Amino acid sequence: MPKSLSMLATVISLKPQGENNSSVCLLTQTEGILYATLYGGHKSRLKGLVSPWNTGEVWLSQDAKSGFYKISDFSVKKYHLTFRDSLAKYYASSLAAELALYTKCAGNAKEFWALFNGFIDGLDFCTEDSQCKTGLVRFLWRFLSLSGVQPDATECACCSKKFLEQNTEEVPSDGNKVPSGGNKVPSDGNTVWNRERNTGGITYGAPGENDQRKNEVEDRKNGAEFLVTENQFFCGDCKKIDEKTLFFLNRTAMSYLSAIQNLSPKEARTWPVTEEALSQIEDLLFYLIENVAGKKLKTLSTGRTFL
């Protein structure tokens, strides 16, 4: 007699199976990745519901002899319709799904489910590609933590120099956050807070070329080298001369990773990061997740431009 069960699930993909049926890949909250057969032609009610990125409660029937699953019903709670109109959202979610497949949900179906669905729900609200990119970075960094291979971005592995403290923020009387020890460019990119060394006060004015050069030098000086052989970050003062470095992350990049690692998701979302720092972080993360997956990821090969 077939065994019936229900669980929360997100539809990852569908492939034709015979003339009218489909093989459905599901990411479930309790079992991780499951494959089930969806019976019926294009006019079937379930064909319209069982669609990629739809999330809800699925009812399955499992054959007692073969162990194969059949989808009996699906109650959709979230549709994520914006993924159809954005290549950035499509490829970001596809990369997350590919990691679920190749790593078996990092060995923890329940926690991966929460991480994955929080990520795709957030993607659905993104209005710009840049928001998708930063959201993907936060997801991948937390995925490495779930996988047990996340390097410590809080401090130098040798001298314990704190990376996050290099970009800590103070709040002036008007409520705007200002990084201590550096300048922060607001979202409009036209103005910048400058710290006065003698008085300790803060002035509001246009950035000059000297300020920009100084920030670039400081950003690189206070960055970190990632040593692949040790899976650790080392500050510029502690880098081993005989070690070959594949990845360098500037101060802003290290501060951003440290913020994701140590602050709440709400605080991490608002932490500043530049395009240069984001590019450095992406190069490192894409390298690390392919190591975890144990193979080249198709999404990175075909959609790297959009990530």
Side-chain angles (χ1 to χ4, degrees):
M1 183 177 180
K3 176 183 177 182
S4 298
L5 62 160
S6 66
M7 63 191 73
L8 293 176
T10 297
V11 179
I12 299 300
S13 64
L14 292 89
K15 292 183 178 180
Q17 189 178 70
E19 187 175 348
N20 295 317
N21 307 327
S22 299
S23 175
V24 183
C25 178
L26 299 168
L27 173 63
T28 68
Q29 183 183 39
T30 55
E31 304 297 325
I33 295 293
L34 283 182
Y35 291 90
T37 301
L38 176 63
Y39 290 95
H42 295 291
K43 294 184 179 180
S44 168
R45 179 183 68 88
L46 284 177
K47 283 285 186 179
L49 296 175
V50 182
S51 182
W53 313 123
N54 284 0
T55 300
E57 187 170 6
V58 64
W59 281 264
L60 301 172
S61 178
Q62 185 180 26
D63 186 89
K65 293 184 178 180
S66 65
F68 293 154
Y69 291 98
K70 178 183 75 173
I71 297 179
S72 304
D73 203 357
F74 189 42
S75 177
V76 182
K77 306 299 182 184
K78 298 176 182 178
Y79 288 89
H80 303 109
L81 296 177
T82 63
F83 289 15
R84 303 174 184 177
D85 304 319
S86 169
L87 287 173
K89 293 182 181 182
Y90 171 79
Y91 280 110
S93 55
S94 295
L95 181 58
E98 200 171 3
L99 286 175
L101 291 170
Y102 293 136
T103 68
K104 300 186 184 301
C105 300
N108 191 324
K110 188 174 182 180
E111 288 195 26
F112 185 88
W113 164 268
L115 179 63
F116 179 87
N117 276 274
F119 172 54
I120 64 172
D121 288 348
L123 279 181
D124 210 23
F125 288 101
C126 291
T127 57
E128 300 176 0
D129 288 354
S130 59
Q131 295 174 329
C132 299
K133 290 184 177 182
T134 53
L136 178 61
V137 163
R138 293 192 297 271
F139 167 81
L140 294 179
W141 190 243
R142 291 165 182 148
F143 166 78
L144 291 176
S145 176
L146 183 60
S147 302
V149 295
Q150 183 194 78
D152 186 10
T154 303
E155 60 186 25
C156 172
C158 182
C159 69
S160 300
K161 179 181 180 181
K162 302 293 184 181
F163 294 120
L164 186 60
E165 289 180 354
Q166 295 165 6
N167 200 26
T168 53
E169 297 181 338
E170 295 178 1
V171 181
S173 58
D174 61 2
N176 291 308
K177 291 184 177 181
V178 183
S180 62
N183 297 326
K184 176 183 177 182
V185 180
S187 57
D188 58 11
N190 296 322
T191 50
V192 59
W193 289 103
N194 298 307
R195 177 172 301 281
E196 295 179 353
R197 292 183 178 178
N198 296 330
T199 63
I202 298 171
T203 59
Y204 195 60
E209 292 184 2
N210 291 335
D211 291 330
Q212 292 177 350
R213 291 196 191 98
K214 179 182 177 182
N215 289 338
E216 291 173 1
V217 171
E218 289 296 317
D219 214 25
R220 185 166 186 85
K221 178 181 177 182
N222 292 313
E225 308 276 359
F226 178 77
L227 300 188
V228 175
T229 54
E230 300 191 30
N231 196 46
Q232 292 179 325
F233 291 104
F234 293 84
C235 69
D237 297 329
C238 299
K239 179 186 177 296
K240 299 179 181 179
I241 300 177
D242 57 339
E243 288 281 1
K244 181 180 179 181
T245 302
L246 294 180
F247 302 98
F248 169 80
L249 275 68
N250 63 26
R251 177 182 61 177
T252 304
M254 290 305 303
S255 175
Y256 192 64
L257 288 182
S258 188
I260 301 171
Q261 186 173 329
N262 296 284
L263 303 182
S264 68
K266 181 178 180 180
E267 291 173 312
R269 281 195 300 270
T270 60
W271 200 261
V273 62
T274 63
E275 289 186 10
E276 179 186 9
L278 193 62
S279 178
Q280 293 173 353
I281 295 172
E282 287 178 333
D283 288 342
L284 173 61
L285 290 182
F286 294 160
Y287 171 83
L288 292 176
I289 62 173
E290 285 193 328
N291 280 349
V292 175
K295 63 188 303 180
K296 293 291 183 181
L297 298 175
K298 183 179 178 181
T299 307
L300 292 181
S301 300
T302 59
R304 178 67 177 85
T305 306
F306 304 100
L307 296 173

